[in-house]
C-alpha cells in the first residue's frame, strides 16, 4: 500500500474505514464499539478542522474530547497532538471511505451486500494495485469528487 515508497493516508485509512463495514454479524457489543468509534471519528474531524482552519487551541479540543469520550486524559492529549502534527489526516480517511463507497456503488449500483461474491474481484483489484493518491483513484474509476458528499 505504498506510492513511491510512501504510505498514502487517504487510501490506506479510507480502505480501513470502508472495510470495517464488510462484516455483517455484529453483536450488541460490536455495535457499541462501532458507535464509539464513529463518535471518536466525528470528533477527530471537528478537531482537525478547528485546529488547522479556525486556529482553535489544542487545549480547547482536549477539553471538548474530555466532555464526550470515555478515554483517559493522556490518550486524549495524544490524539489531539497527532492531529496537530498531521493536518488533514482525519479528513483523509473519511474522504477515502467515501471514494471507496462511490467506486462500489458505481460498479454494483448498491450500497449493501458489500461482501457479495461479485465484489471480491473489485476488492482484489483495489488492494493489489496498492495505495495511490485519492485523486488518481478517482480518475481511474471515474469518480467526481465534488459529488461525493451529495450522493454517498
Amino acid at each position: 500500500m505504498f506510492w513511491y515508497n510512501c504510505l498514502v493516508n487517504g487510501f490506506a485509512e479510507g480502505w480501513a474505514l470502508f472495510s470495517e463495514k464488510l462484516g455483517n454479524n455484529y453483536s450488541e457489543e460490536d455495535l457499541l464499539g462501532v458507535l464509539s468509534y464513529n463518535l471518536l471519528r466525528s470528533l477527530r474531524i471537528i478537531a482537525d478542522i478547528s485546529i488547522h482552519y479556525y486556529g482553535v487551541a489544542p487545549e480547547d479540543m482536549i477539553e471538548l474530547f474530555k466532555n464526550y469520550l470515555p478515554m483517559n486524559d493522556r490518550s486524549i492529549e495524544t490524539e489531539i497532538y497527532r492531529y496537530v502534527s498531521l493536518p488533514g489526516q482525519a479528513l483523509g480517511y473519511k474522504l477515502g471511505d467515501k471514494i471507496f463507497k462511490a467506486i462500489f456503488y458505481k460498479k454494483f449500483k448498491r450500497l449493501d451486500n458489500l461482501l457479495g461474491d461479485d465484489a471480491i474481484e473489485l476488492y482484489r483489484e483495489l488492494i493489489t494495485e496498492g495505495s495511490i493518491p485519492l485523486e488518481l483513484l478517482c480518475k481511474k474509476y471515474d469518480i467526481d469528487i465534488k459529488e461525493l458528499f451529495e450522493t454517498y
Side-chain angles (χ1 to χ4, degrees):
M1 289 192 147
F2 292 91
W3 178 258
Y4 294 114
N5 283 336
C6 296
L7 176 68
V8 178
N9 184 67
F11 184 100
E13 298 266 2
W15 174 254
L17 184 54
F18 176 80
S19 66
E20 285 180 12
K21 299 169 192 72
L22 296 179
N24 59 4
N25 295 323
Y26 291 123
S27 68
E28 289 181 9
E29 291 83 8
D30 293 332
L31 291 174
L32 181 59
V34 168
L35 292 174
S36 295
Y37 273 101
N38 284 342
L39 175 60
L40 174 59
R41 289 180 179 124
S42 295
L43 286 169
R44 284 176 175 167
I45 291 170
I46 290 168
D48 199 342
I49 293 169
S50 296
I51 291 167
H52 297 291
Y53 186 78
Y54 292 107
V56 173
E59 295 77 21
D60 293 337
M61 290 293 97
I62 290 169
E63 290 307 312
L64 177 72
F65 274 45
K66 286 180 183 179
N67 288 330
Y68 292 99
L69 296 175
M71 296 170 66
N72 66 52
D73 291 357
R74 182 71 182 129
S75 294
I76 288 173
E77 290 170 9
T78 300
E79 285 282 326
I80 296 299
Y81 286 108
R82 186 177 81 173
Y83 312 140
V84 168
S85 64
L86 296 168
Q89 189 272 337
L91 302 172
Y93 69 77
K94 189 62 174 172
L95 183 58
D97 175 55
K98 289 280 204 182
I99 290 169
F100 284 111
K101 281 182 190 172
I103 291 168
F104 185 90
Y105 184 81
K106 187 168 195 132
K107 181 147 179 94
F108 301 110
K109 302 297 183 246
R110 68 176 194 266
L111 286 174
D112 62 353
N113 193 21
L114 297 176
L115 273 181
D117 291 338
D118 56 349
I120 302 305
E121 190 57 38
L122 172 64
Y123 299 151
R124 185 175 287 120
E125 178 183 317
L126 286 166
I127 61 176
T128 300
E129 181 176 316
S131 183
I132 63 174
L134 295 178
E135 183 177 3
L136 295 179
L137 187 63
C138 286
K139 283 182 183 178
K140 179 177 180 178
Y141 290 95
D142 195 29
I143 302 298
D144 185 346
I145 204 162
K146 295 174 185 170
E147 295 177 5
L148 282 178
F149 290 93
E150 298 170 8
T151 308
Y152 308 99

